[in-house]
């Protein structure tokens, strides 16, 4: 099993608070059959959840070393769960990481209402060569009220990532 969305880089968002906590979670995931995990810390502009790429990479390398020392057989990859922004294109160049430096970008929308220009933002990303992956669409009120809206995003080429607990 592969996990595309996790908050296991310690101390930089609302996920794991320490390397010890991350190691404990990774050990359990390995026992459960998870082979690959993408670490996707939140990136939300102008908040405390905006760790820069240099610091993310340093934490990532340290965590990889620790799991090697613990003999945890899980492949780790780095990315972000980026909160919707009109500045995605610029942020990708400097602050936001795509999944494992590919063209796939995990995006998060507001849980309540969508931005008016959400489709335009997604279109710009697609034109720029990104493949948007919408994080946990089952949690967004707009899709709960209008599940048919998701079809439009799928036709645009947006992929979906659902949370395990939602199943």
């Amino acid at each position: 099993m592969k996990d595309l969305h996790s908050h296991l880089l310690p101390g930089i968002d609302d996920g794991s608070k320490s390397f010890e906590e991350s190691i404990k979670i990774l050990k359990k995931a390995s026992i459960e059959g998870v082979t690959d995990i993408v670490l996707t810390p939140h990136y939300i502009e102008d908040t405390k959840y905006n760790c820069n790429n240099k610091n993310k990479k340093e934490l990532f390398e340290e965590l990889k070393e620790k799991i090697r020392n613990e003999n945890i057989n899980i492949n780790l990859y780095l990315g972000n769960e980026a909160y919707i922004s009109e500045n995605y294109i610029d942020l990708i160049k400097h602050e936001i990481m795509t999944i494992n430096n590919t063209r796939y970008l995990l995006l998060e929308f507001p849980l309540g209402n969508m931005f008016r220009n959400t489709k335009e933002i997604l279109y710009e990303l697609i034109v720029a060569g990104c493949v948007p992956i919408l994080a946990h669409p089952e949690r967004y009120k707009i899709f709960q009220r209008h599940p048919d809206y998701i079809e439009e995003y799928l036709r645009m080429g947006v992929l979906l990532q659902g949370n395990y607990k939602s199943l």
Side-chain angles (χ1 to χ4, degrees):
M1 184 171 3
K2 298 172 187 339
D3 185 345
L4 276 179
H5 180 179
S6 72
H7 296 282
L8 295 175
L9 274 186
I12 63 171
D13 67 7
D14 58 351
S16 176
K17 301 299 180 223
S18 66
F19 282 108
E20 292 77 19
E21 183 179 356
S22 296
I23 294 295
K24 182 179 174 183
I25 292 167
L26 288 164
K27 281 181 181 178
K28 185 175 180 187
S30 179
I31 291 167
E32 296 294 326
V34 176
T35 59
D36 299 83
I37 296 180
V38 181
L39 308 176
T40 52
H42 287 287
Y43 187 94
I44 306 171
E45 265 187 307
D46 301 322
T47 73
K48 64 182 179 178
Y49 299 136
N50 63 2
C51 185
N52 66 52
N53 288 343
K54 180 180 180 289
N55 291 344
K56 281 183 285 211
K57 288 176 185 175
E58 288 172 1
L59 286 168
F60 176 66
E61 291 302 324
E62 189 172 347
L63 182 58
K64 284 188 353 185
E65 181 65 27
K66 288 182 183 298
I67 70 165
R68 270 192 296 276
N69 293 340
E70 293 282 335
N71 294 315
I72 300 170
N73 192 22
I74 291 182
N75 299 307
L76 296 181
Y77 307 94
L78 189 55
N80 266 122
E81 178 186 13
Y83 193 78
I84 191 166
S85 169
E86 293 180 356
N87 303 321
Y88 273 145
I89 304 303
D90 289 333
L91 290 172
I92 288 170
K93 295 174 186 170
H94 307 290
E95 296 296 323
I96 294 174
M97 298 189 80
T98 59
I99 294 175
N100 199 35
N101 293 314
T102 64
R103 40 189 211 123
Y104 295 90
L105 179 62
L106 184 65
L107 309 176
E108 183 174 33
F109 289 172
L111 294 178
N113 296 314
M114 301 293 243
F115 288 11
R116 270 188 234 175
N117 61 341
T118 297
K119 284 187 262 183
E120 289 82 7
I121 293 170
L122 291 171
Y123 181 75
E124 282 183 38
L125 279 171
I126 292 166
V127 167
C130 283
V131 178
I133 303 172
L134 182 55
H136 44 67
E138 72 277 6
R139 294 178 56 197
Y140 303 123
K141 291 187 186 337
I142 189 73
F143 297 137
Q144 292 169 5
R145 289 191 300 267
H146 305 281
D148 53 305
Y149 285 9
I150 203 73
E151 290 295 326
E152 188 170 357
Y153 290 101
L154 291 170
R155 281 192 297 275
M156 288 175 68
V158 175
L159 302 177
L160 307 176
Q161 172 273 312
N163 286 354
Y164 175 76
K165 285 187 176 184
S166 296
L167 296 175

